[in-house]
Amino acid sequence: KLQNCTLSMENIHKEIAVLELGSNPFEHLELLANEIFLPVLSNPQNQAKWGEVPTREIMDRFHNFLSSTTILCGQIKGETRLPMPP
């Protein structure tokens, strides 16, 4: 969404940004996960109402997802890519 507004059939084409993924969607997924989702999930203000155990579980599972994505992107390119530790 480009602006904070209510979507309707009349304005949806103007308010939604659409992009086309290139030849390797996993690279885009890795970038999106690292640059968008990780900062949002890591933000203490977003974690405030989750509780300690759910926060730890969510972050552990998300870091496992990031590690798998990094390894997969390397395998697709024929490279050895090791994930960064959390």
Side-chain angles (χ1 to χ4, degrees):
K1 254 171 92 170
L2 300 174
Q3 297 179 16
N4 189 9
C5 65
T6 303
L7 293 177
S8 66
M9 293 305 290
E10 291 78 31
N11 71 355
I12 194 165
H13 298 293
K14 295 177 187 173
E15 300 299 331
I16 299 291
V18 179
L19 69 108
E20 185 175 325
L21 298 177
S23 61
N24 190 351
F26 291 107
E27 285 183 12
H28 294 282
L29 178 62
E30 180 184 27
L31 182 64
L32 182 72
N34 279 309
E35 299 296 325
I36 304 296
F37 297 135
L38 182 60
V40 170
L41 290 173
S42 299
N43 187 334
Q45 291 177 342
N46 294 334
Q47 297 174 353
K49 294 184 180 179
W50 295 353
E52 184 179 338
V53 174
T55 298
R56 190 175 333 115
E57 183 73 20
I58 290 167
M59 294 310 298
D60 286 346
R61 287 178 186 253
F62 191 72
H63 280 93
N64 287 338
F65 169 75
L66 290 176
S67 297
S68 297
T69 306
T70 300
I71 293 168
L72 178 64
C73 287
Q75 289 174 340
I76 289 171
K77 290 183 172 183
E79 302 171 349
T80 300
R81 289 180 58 188
L82 300 176
M84 294 295 291

